[in-house]
Amino acid sequence: MNTNLSRKNTEITASITLGITAKAKKMVADGIDVISFGSGEPDFRTPKYIRDAAIKAIEEESIGYTPSAGLPQLKKAICEKFKKDNNLDFNPENIVVSNGAKHSLNNALQAICNPEDEVIVAAPYWVSYPEMIKMADAEPIILDTREENEFKYDMKSLESAITDKTKAIILTSPNNPTGAVYDESELRQIAEIAIKHNIFIISDEIYEKLIYDGKHVSIASFGDEIKDLTIVINGMSKAYAMTGWRIGYLAANKEIATIINNVQSHYTSNPNTIAQYASIEALRGDQKPIEDMIKAFDERRKYIVERINSIKGLSCKMPKGAFYVMINISECLGKSFNGFTVNSSMDFAQYLLDNAKVAVIPGIGFGDDNYMRLSYATSLENIKEGLNRIEKAIR
Ligand SMILES: Cc1ncc(COP(=O)(O)O)c(C=O)c1O
């Protein structure tokens, strides 16, 4: 009998973000007053017009299977969105709707990667990229970025990381965890590099709507050549406070979209039908609730950055998008607080959770031990109290 488990999958680590958030939630359930900065989801309810659309669908539509790549009406609404927001012309045959952007990213990597391919990722990175790349049998090539460079790819380092095995570059703008937003000229340079070396760009644009200064530009919009090499990833979770509805989507050239559709048809069939109907309304309906959400995030962002930079031992740059701030904790490493020595970001997170009852995500989860990530997808009141606690704990 051979009961060895899958070598590839036993090596995959659990998401640190979800792990810490779950621990903090358990402490809250046990009656402990924990303030969590761990969350990767808006603390707003899904807007009412979207909830109403879901209820209407349940009452009026047949909630059966849909085509595996999504309802034709939703794919049409997504094409309209790409035209309106990104000046991108896609046809429904280019679109695959999936169970969240996470699923779309996995689909994209599975469609393009072969064993020994390399995929370039900037660190600090979103926790799931390296594991997803490994699950697609490829190798993550981690390229460190610097805070002074706003945690963006340095173009020289990016180009020199390319080998004959490079299959794709992952580009995340706005970025989780750093809040970095690439400007048009930087995106054009990345596009040039991709075209020159004939490699794919997986452009994760899930935080597109959450930009505080300036406007999002999609790298795919610079012309047919780069559009053909780009797989654009987006979804409903962050912009529409629809994390639990699990709808993400991608746009790619027809060949890639067809492969993904075929694979998805065997893996998961279609994403949830009710959530698909609700997503049509989300994309086409009144966008005012989203604007209100962005205003609230912006106010918190400014507050949190000012407070952090006033706390001795901590510092951070102003994030330009998403709802996270990367805090430099390097001055605290190697020091003792209340008898607890902090040698790593994990120690720091553990200390803050045990001592200050504040949950943060250690930078090591994003590939950089000198940082911790705070999410400001929590109320201003919680942010104020949480920062008071952090300040006291490291005084
Ligand atoms: C950078 C990035 N991409 C993709 C996702 C996945 O979003 P979802 O699967 O909820 O659509 C997240 C969620 O945290 C993210 O931060």
Side-chain angles (χ1 to χ4, degrees), residues 40 99-103 105 126 129 172 176 204 206-207 235 237-238 243 246-248 324:
N99 302 288
K102 205 174 236 185
H103 186 200
L105 281 159
W126 178 50
Y129 295 137
T172 314
N176 172 13
D204 184 347
I206 186 85
Y207 293 99
S237 290
K238 316 289 175 171
T243 45
R246 309 309 302 131
I247 298 291
Y324 310 100

Side-chain angles (χ1 to χ4, degrees), residues 103-113 202 231 233 250 260:
H103 186 200
S104 304
L105 281 159
N106 264 305
N107 278 341
L109 287 160
Q110 295 285 343
I112 61 172
C113 289
I202 298 182
I231 305 178
I233 309 284
L250 61 77
I260 292 174

